Structures are given as C-alpha cells and as structure tokens.
C-alpha cells in the first residue's frame, strides 16, 4: 500500500501564514506540522512509499521532508501549473506512481490515528464521512446510495453527509478513477475537482463511507480552522481502547496489534478467564493469573482486567471503551456473533471498532500446534482436571471407549448464547470398554487391556481422563494401578465400594452384589493415596448404598468416612428415574462439606440438566454410556438393512460418507 498526499495548492485562504511556506508546513504545535504529523502517522501503520504532489513552495517542502529523517521513501511530483490548475491535474501527473492500493489525502487534513487506521485497514475502498458533523456550506459532501458513495460534491445537500477527503482506494478503483481523470485533463478540464471525475465513474467504484462520527478528521482551510484544530489537539482526550486476548503464547503478531492499539489511546486488555478460554478454544497452558501477569508486563498495556465470557458485553458495559481493537479474523467463523454484538453495543454510545489484518504466519500455527501437543503430555493432561475444578463449578465428562469416540469428545462443539460449549473431560467406562470388547461388565477385561484403551485415546486427544476403576481390586494391586494411571496422564480413578464378583450398578439388587465394609474400603483408598506420586492425581470413592438400597444414612456415613480416609472426591450413584435421592444426598453432604468434589452419573434420572445438578452441589457430571448406546442400534439397523436388501444401497442414508468421518481424524498426532 502507498500513500498519496496532495500538496500542490497555494493555501490562499490561510492569508499571511502561507506567504513563505506551503500550507502543509504550518505548525500544529512545537513538535509537528500538518505534513510531519501525516507522515509519522503513515509510517507508523507501515506505509513505506509516499507520493507527494508539490507546486507552491515546492523546494521548501522537499528540503523540510529531507530533514525529517523518516524511514519512508518519498516521491515528489511537481505540478508546475499549480497556480492555474486544481489537484485533479496533480493526480493526473502522479498517475504512473499509483500502481498499488492507495491511501489518498489532502495535504491540509488533520486526523486522529483511529481515523487513519479505520480507513487504511478497511478491506474495501472507502472515504471518511461524519454523521455527527453539520453539512458544510462550502466543503465536500457525499451522496450515499445503498451503503456506497455515489457522488461527491459541494453543492448536493440532499441525502448527503459531511465528507473529509481521506480515502483508501483499492488498486483497481484508483485505476478506474485515474482513467476518468485522464479524460478530464486531456480535454483541458484541469481546474475542477478530481471528485468531478469520480462522479462520472462512481457506478464502477464501490466506495464505502466510513462514519467516524465525533472522532477527529478536519481540513485546515483558514487561520480560524488552524486555531481550532490546535485547540482540539491540545484537548484531545486520551481514548480508552479495549482488546481481549485468549492466548497463552504471546508472539510477534500479538505484540504488533498491541503496538497499533497503543497509538489509539490507553490500552485495557481483557484476559479471558480459564473457563471461558477452555469453552471456546482449548484448555490454556497457563492459568489466568499467569496470563494476566504476562500481559501486564507488555509495553503499551495500561491495564489488564478479566473477561469472564467470550462475549465482550459485560466489560463493554463496565468500561465503555471508545475504541475496540481486534484482528479481522473474527469477521467469519466461530466469533462472528461476538463481533456483531460488539458492534451493536459500542454503537449505542458512539464507540468504534478498529480491525487490523490478522497476521497468520506459519510459525504462529506451529506454536499453536505445539501448545496442543503439550496439553496431551501426561503431566499436563493429568493436572487439567484439578485446574478445571478450580476454575469452574462443574466439569462435564462424556464416555469414550476408543480413539474415535475420544476424538468426538475432544472436538464436538455447539454454539450457545453466542458462546461455545464443549465437553471438559472423558470417562473411560468399564461398562462401555467391556461392551466394545463383547464382554460383560464384571472386571473380566483385565487392566492391561483397559490401559490399551486409555493409550489409544491418549494418542489422539488432550482432554483429561476419568477412569472407571471398578472395585480397584486388591489394595496391593490398586497401588500399582494408581501409579500406572498417573504415569499415563489419567487425572482421576473412581473406585466403587463393592467386593467379590462386581456387576454393573444399573442391575442394582436384581443381581447379587456385595458392598465392601467401610473399613476395608477406607484401607484401599489410603493405600492408593500412599502410592500416588504426583499432587494432581485424584482418587474418587464411589458409594453404592443407594443402588443396593442400604439407605441415605449409610451413603452419607460412607461418604464422610471415605473422604477422611483420603478420597479426593465422592461419587454417589442411583438407578432411580427420579433424582430425589441424589439431590437429598448432595444437600446433606454439602451441609457438612462444601469443598470435596461430588461426582454424579445421571443415566437413569436423565431429565435432570447439568445446571440443576451443579446447583445442588455436584462438580463432575458424567454422561457415562451414550456413545455405546447410540452406535449399537445404528449398526444393528445397517446390518439388518443389508441382509434384507441383499445390497447396501438402502443403508446409504444411515451411513456417513467416509470423507466426513475422515475429517475427524487429525493429520498428525
Ligand atoms: C460405567 O459406565 O461403567 C459405570 C457407570 O460404572 S454405571 O454403568 O452407571 O454403573
Ligand atoms: Mg463401571
């Protein structure tokens, strides 16, 4: 992108001020002239080539620019007929240089950085207008039609809006305009406005109006304007700028957008909470407190606050930033609705959204890939359940029994209230693991085989794993199980207080099942805790009293005894359709213990929502067997359809094309 600054004019309306110098060299304050301010602003947004048309006092202008020592390449186009032509002729003379996207401005324009950024980084060709300014008598106005500028003139007041001559023109649009300018100039029509030529071809150029409302962009036409703009610059309030970050790796792309935001005012960064970030993206490598400190120490950041949700609403209402900054990546995809909400909200108080081109260098993707891989390492994965329990009230787990179902738990996302919802953890169920091997859920699938399932899941996912450890076996065996699970990166093992031949709880007393004594089970828990090597592995004691109809008192007695023996969490199970007994247990337990996590498996009482379970005090909610129950009837139906029809055509609608299934499988581990 290049810039074109039109500076050939004589600035006659400035009176004596421009006796010895071109208008663009009048001082705005001790440090800057109109031109030096513009050039610095252009240089800061990365423009390296500027074309300046000159005429009146050309030598003074050139030597002034040479002394500025800017790192931009300036080309001067001298319009020797400056006194008898308008800038349409200067643009005509500069036409060869206009071979790129162009930021075009009149040499007497003074504007805030936010205005330049909105124009220069607009994806479309555009021009500055202001709906809060009065229509000027003698200056440019734009006539708008269907959201685009159809005419720019001084005399049209109907459907018009005040316009300031600061444009961004895509290469093809400046080319079209220049073609028309050529026609005008070559016909000797050189004293009109370049905009007269634009009006002739405005049906071929889509120029979007950028309404800057009360932000500053003014032309300096006379001494009065100069005095006014000097005052405005002196009293220009420091704008309040807001950005939100979900990242835990700060790379050069982030630093450069913060640097840009800093030029617009005081920067407040909203750091997404752990809960919000893990909902929409992935679990953060660094907890909120670390990420907050990281941003507080970045140059240019004035304040860091917590953003609790993906939605900006709460913080926008609270901090009322005049400017919100974001990369333009959110125009599409998962954050689209969040963006619309931001635009609607800041509009209510006159705020602006500034979007910069999203920098997507291959190395940034590589960092993200590595971060994901790190999350899958055993230490990281194991610790994630503890961290999730610290950062949110309830953790939602879903059953997985192989790599593919693991990937479904890892990657399934739904949109909800403008945010994203996904599972927090995986449950490796004894029932589903055994069923997938065609075996009953009676601990007949040995640990080695169960570990193989975990390994398969671990190979392709990163989310924490809760392992269904059945009875835990003999205490002597359980200590080995704990160490092995820990080493593999499993976060929690749940063992149930049964002994002998274990049967699935959903059979209850319909089959013979024996509950283990409190003492015996406490001893098993203590043995497991003693064997554990890391701080973040958890042993959860599962109480079967309600399943085996031993009563609430027995269930509660056991819960407190198991907790005192070292259990990190308590699971209460029920096979009733009504959640009454589960709620009763939670309420009674929470009266005495507000800290120990409570786990629940709402298979039978499936009308109850996870919000209701959370409200009575449950912290881990496990959807324990639904993939298995979904796949079996689907597979059965396909098998029957093929047999009945002697071919597979009829079951096409029952099957997903493999192309789509393959999309679930990651390219690399
Ligand atoms: C499992 O999923 O294996 C369980 C939960 O232990 S339940 O089947 O409800 O007993
Ligand atoms: Mg089980």
């Amino acid at each position: 992108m290049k810039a074109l600054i039109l500076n050939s004019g004589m600035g006659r309306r400035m009176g004596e001020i421009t006796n010895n110098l071109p208008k663009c060299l009048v001082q705005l304050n001790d440090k800057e002239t109109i031109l030096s301010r513009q050039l610095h602003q252009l240089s800061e947004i990365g423009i390296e080539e500027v074309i300046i048309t000159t005429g009146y006092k050309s030598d003074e202008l050139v030597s002034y620019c040479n002394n500025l020592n800017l790192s931009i390449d300036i080309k001067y186009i001298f319009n020797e007929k400056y006194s008898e032509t308008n800038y349409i002729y200067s643009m005509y003379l500069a036409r060869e240089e206009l071979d790129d996207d162009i930021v075009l401005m009149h040499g007497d324009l003074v504007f805030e950085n936010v205005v330049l950024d909105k124009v220069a980084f607009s994806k479309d060709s555009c021009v500055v207008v202001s709906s809060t300014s009065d229509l000027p008598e003698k200056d440019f106005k734009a006539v708008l039609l269907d959201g685009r500028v159809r005419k720019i003139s001084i005399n049209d007041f109907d459907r018009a809006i005040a316009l300031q001559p600061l444009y961004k023109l895509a290469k093809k649009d400046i080319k079209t305009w220049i073609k028309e300018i050529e026609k005008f100039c070559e016909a000797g029509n050189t004293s009109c406005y370049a905009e007269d030529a634009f009006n002739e071809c405005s049906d071929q150029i889509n120029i979007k109006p950028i309404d800057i409302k009360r932000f500053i962009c003014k032309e300096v036409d006379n001494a009065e304007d100069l005095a006014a703009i000097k005052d405005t610059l002196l009293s220009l309030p420091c704008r309040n700028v807001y950005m939100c970050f979900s990242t835990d790796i700060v790379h050069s792309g982030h630093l450069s957008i913060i640097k840009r935001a800093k030029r617009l005012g005081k920067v407040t960064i909203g750091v997404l909470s752990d809960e919000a970030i893990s909902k929409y993206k992935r679990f953060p490598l660094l907890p909120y407190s670390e990420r907050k400190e990281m941003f507080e120490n970045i140059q240019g950041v004035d304040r860091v606050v917590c953003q609790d949700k993906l939605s900006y609403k709460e913080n926008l209402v609270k901090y009322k930033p005049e400017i919100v900054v974001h990369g333009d990546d959110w125009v599409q995809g998962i954050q689209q609705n969040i963006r619309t909400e931001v635009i609607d909200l800041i509009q209510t108080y006159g705020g602006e959204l500034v979007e910069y081109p999203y920098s997507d260098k291959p190395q940034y993707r590589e960092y993200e890939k590595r971060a994901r891989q790190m999350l899958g390492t055993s230490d990281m994965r194991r610790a994630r359940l503890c961290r999730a329990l610290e950062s949110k009230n309830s953790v939602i787990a879903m059953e997985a029994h192989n790599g593919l179902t693991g990937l479904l738990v890892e990657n399934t996302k739904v949109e909800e209230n403008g945010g994203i919802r996904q599972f927090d953890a995986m449950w490796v169920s004894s029932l589903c693991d055994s069923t997938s091997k065609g075996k009953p859920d009676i601990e007949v699938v040995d640990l080695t085989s169960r570990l193989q399932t975990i390994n398969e899941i671990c190979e392709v996912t990163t989310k924490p794993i809760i392992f269904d450890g059945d009875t835990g076996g003999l205490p002597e065996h359980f200590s080995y199980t704990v160490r092995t699970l820990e080493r593999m990166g499993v976060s929690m093992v749940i063992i149930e207080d049964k002994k002998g031949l274990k049967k699935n709880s959903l059979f209850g007393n319909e089959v013979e099942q024996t509950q283990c004594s409190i003492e015996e089970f406490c001893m098993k828990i203590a043995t497991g805790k003693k064997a554990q090597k890391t701080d973040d592995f958890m042993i959860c004691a599962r109480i079967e009293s309600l399943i085996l109809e031993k009563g609430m008192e027995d269930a509660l007695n056991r819960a407190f005894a198991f907790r005192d023996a070292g259990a990190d969490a308590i699971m209460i199970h029920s096979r009733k359709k009504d959640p009454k007994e589960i709620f009763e247990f939670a309420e009674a337990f929470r009266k005495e213990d507000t800290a120990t996590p409570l786990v629940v498996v709402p298979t039978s009482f499936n009308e109850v929502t996870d919000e209701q379970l959370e409200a009575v005090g449950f912290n881990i909610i496990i959807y324990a067997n639904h993939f298995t129950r979904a796949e079996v009837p689907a597979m059965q139906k396909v098998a029957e359809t093929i047999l009945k029809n002697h071919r597979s055509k009829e079951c096409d609608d029952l099957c997903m094309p493999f192309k789509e299934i393959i999309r679930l499988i990651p390219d690399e581990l």
Side-chain angles (χ1 to χ4, degrees), residues 194-368:
E195 282 75 4
D196 292 332
F198 164 78
N199 293 338
E200 292 300 313
C201 58
S202 67
D203 56 334
Q204 300 159 53
I205 305 179
N206 193 350
I207 294 198
K208 218 176 78 182
I210 301 255
D211 185 1
I212 57 154
K213 290 169 223 124
R214 62 207 160 82
F215 289 95
I216 308 301
C217 181
K218 294 239 173 340
E219 266 182 301
V220 177
D221 282 330
N222 50 41
E224 247 171 47
D225 290 349
L226 182 62
I229 197 73
K230 281 182 174 175
D231 277 356
T232 306
L233 289 181
L234 272 178
S235 59
L236 193 69
C238 189
R239 306 292 187 192
N240 186 357
V241 183
Y242 186 80
M243 315 171 74
C244 170
F245 281 96
S246 62
T247 190
D248 40 21
I249 303 166
V250 175
H251 55 56
S252 55
H254 300 123
L255 294 175
S256 108
I257 197 166
I258 292 174
K259 204 167 153 197
R260 283 190 162 144
K262 182 67 204 154
R263 296 164 33 260
L264 311 184
K266 262 181 152 8
V267 176
T268 296
I269 287 191
V271 167
L272 266 195
S273 65
D274 290 344
E275 182 175 359
I277 194 174
S278 44
K279 260 189 181 169
Y280 112 93
K281 200 172 162 187
R282 58 160 170 79
F283 201 79
L285 291 176
L286 300 174
Y288 169 77
S289 55
E290 290 284 326
R291 288 181 290 118
K292 180 171 186 276
E293 203 169 322
M294 183 169 82
F295 279 103
E296 278 167 346
N297 285 292
I298 291 177
Q299 210 183 13
V301 175
D302 295 284
R303 171 171 62 165
V304 179
V305 297
C306 181
Q307 186 172 314
D308 262 342
K309 302 198 177 67
L310 193 53
S311 161
Y312 283 47
K313 192 169 169 183
E314 238 166 68
N315 280 1
L316 295 188
V317 169
K318 190 164 172 190
Y319 302 110
K320 289 247 158 18
E322 291 157 287
I323 300 168
V324 173
V325 166
H326 203 282
D328 60 7
D329 53 317
W330 71 343
V331 173
Q332 270 149 16
I334 223 148
Q335 289 197 74
Q336 245 180 82
N337 295 339
I338 307 286
R339 175 179 183 264
T340 312
E341 186 186 52
V342 167
I343 294 173
D344 292 347
L345 234 152
I346 56 176
Q347 209 163 27
T348 59
Y349 60 81
E352 276 295 337
L353 170 66
V354 181
E355 292 172 323
Y356 294 107
Y358 182 66
S359 42
D360 190 19
K361 294 187 185 161
Q363 63 264 38
Y364 298 162
R365 286 173 188 224
E366 186 58 32
Y367 302 153
E368 181 53 29

Side-chain angles (χ1 to χ4, degrees), residues 11 119 275 306 336 450 472 480 556 561 600 628:
V119 170
E275 182 175 359
C306 181
Q336 245 180 82
R450 304 277 320 272
Y480 281 92
L556 285 163
V600 67
T628 305

Side-chain angles (χ1 to χ4, degrees), residues 16-261:
E16 284 182 2
I17 306 172
T18 48
N19 274 356
N20 299 314
L21 77 175
K23 184 159 69 169
C24 62
L25 295 194
V26 297
Q27 291 293 140
L28 292 169
N29 50 45
D30 299 348
K31 294 192 208 91
E32 55 188 2
T33 62
I34 301 178
L35 181 59
S36 74
R37 182 181 165 90
Q38 289 175 340
L39 289 172
H40 275 117
Q41 286 175 306
L42 289 168
S43 155
E44 274 173 6
I45 62 165
I47 289 190
E48 288 169 354
E49 224 179 307
V50 178
I51 302 131
I52 303 182
T53 68
T54 68
Y56 179 64
K57 302 285 176 195
S58 178
D59 292 347
E60 284 83 344
L61 190 153
V62 173
S63 79
Y64 174 80
C65 289
N66 287 343
N67 286 331
L68 283 178
N69 292 327
L70 285 170
S71 57
I72 37 182
D73 178 18
I74 303 180
K75 286 216 166 71
Y76 303 94
I77 304 286
F78 180 57
N79 175 2
E80 57 183 4
K81 296 188 196 159
Y82 66 87
S83 61
E84 75 239 38
T85 61
N86 207 335
Y87 58 84
I88 187 171
Y89 188 61
S90 302
M91 283 176 75
Y92 173 72
L93 296 177
R95 65 193 183 283
E96 301 283 298
E97 303 294 337
L98 307 177
D99 53 358
D100 199 347
D101 290 353
I102 298 291
V103 172
L104 163 65
M105 65 184 72
H106 285 199
D108 56 4
L109 262 190
V110 180
F111 42 82
E112 285 184 70
N113 285 335
V114 59
V115 174
L116 176 64
D117 289 13
K118 278 206 69 106
V119 170
F121 294 110
S122 162
K123 279 212 161 64
D124 310 295
S125 293
C126 60
V127 65
V128 168
V129 298
S130 169
S131 59
T132 57
S133 300
D134 294 333
L135 281 189
E137 279 297 317
K138 292 190 191 136
D139 283 321
F140 278 133
K141 291 164 279 292
V143 176
L144 308 181
L145 195 70
D146 300 331
R148 55 192 275 201
V149 177
R150 293 313 291 259
K151 191 170 182 192
I152 301 171
S153 83
I154 300 209
N155 300 323
D156 287 88
F157 286 81
D158 206 23
R159 273 182 291 135
I161 186 166
L163 175 145
Q164 294 296 341
L166 173 56
Y167 300 84
K168 144 93 181 273
L169 294 153
K171 189 175 164 182
K172 69 170 181 21
D173 292 333
I174 186 80
K175 217 169 145 192
T176 310
W177 190 356
I178 287 293
K179 261 201 190 134
E180 208 58 46
I181 287 177
E182 277 173 350
K183 282 191 212 158
F184 269 63
C185 291
E186 283 159 18
N189 216 346
T190 54
S191 55
C192 59
Y193 295 113
E195 282 75 4
D196 292 332
F198 164 78
N199 293 338
E200 292 300 313
C201 58
S202 67
D203 56 334
Q204 300 159 53
I205 305 179
N206 193 350
I207 294 198
K208 218 176 78 182
I210 301 255
D211 185 1
I212 57 154
K213 290 169 223 124
R214 62 207 160 82
F215 289 95
I216 308 301
C217 181
K218 294 239 173 340
E219 266 182 301
V220 177
D221 282 330
N222 50 41
E224 247 171 47
D225 290 349
L226 182 62
I229 197 73
K230 281 182 174 175
D231 277 356
T232 306
L233 289 181
L234 272 178
S235 59
L236 193 69
C238 189
R239 306 292 187 192
N240 186 357
V241 183
Y242 186 80
M243 315 171 74
C244 170
F245 281 96
S246 62
T247 190
D248 40 21
I249 303 166
V250 175
H251 55 56
S252 55
H254 300 123
L255 294 175
S256 108
I257 197 166
I258 292 174
K259 204 167 153 197
R260 283 190 162 144

Side-chain angles (χ1 to χ4, degrees), residues 399 427-433 441 450 468 470 496 498 502-506 542 544 547 571 573-574 601 603 622 624-625:
E399 178 257 319
W427 164 244
V428 180
S429 146
S430 67
L431 175 63
C432 300
D433 204 0
D441 183 19
R450 304 277 320 272
D468 179 354
D470 286 322
E496 57 196 274
K498 284 202 221 123
K502 186 222 83 154
K503 308 262 174 63
N504 185 272
S505 303
L506 300 174
R542 163 172 166 175
E544 294 286 293
I547 294 280
M571 172 178 156
H573 206 12
S574 160
V601 176
T603 306
I622 300 176
N625 49 38

Side-chain angles (χ1 to χ4, degrees), residues 283-286 371 373-385 387 462 464 489 491 536:
F283 201 79
L285 291 176
L286 300 174
Q373 282 166 353
M374 290 236 328
L375 282 177
T377 60
S378 33
D379 283 345
M380 278 273 182
R381 189 197 295 257
R382 189 179 49 243
R384 273 175 68 178
L385 189 63
R387 278 184 55 201
T462 66
S491 304
D536 37 40

Side-chain angles (χ1 to χ4, degrees), residues 598-667:
L598 278 182
V599 184
V600 67
V601 176
T603 306
S604 305
F605 38 100
N606 57 10
E607 278 185 29
V608 67
T609 64
D610 30 48
E611 287 85 0
Q612 287 169 316
L613 290 164
E614 183 187 307
V616 293
F618 287 104
N619 312 89
I620 299 183
I621 298 154
I622 300 176
Y623 293 96
N625 49 38
H626 300 81
F627 279 149
T628 305
R629 285 164 58 199
E631 69 191 2
V632 172
M635 292 191 291
Q636 240 169 8
K637 194 154 188 202
V638 165
E640 286 166 8
T641 307
I642 291 179
L643 280 178
K644 273 187 199 152
N645 293 285
H646 296 246
R647 63 178 190 181
S648 69
K649 184 177 181 299
E650 286 70 19
C651 68
D652 258 10
D653 289 347
L654 304 172
C655 300
M656 194 183 226
F658 234 96
K659 260 191 195 156
E660 276 176 49
I661 296 178
I662 276 169
R663 262 191 242 135
L664 299 167
I665 317 272
D667 291 340

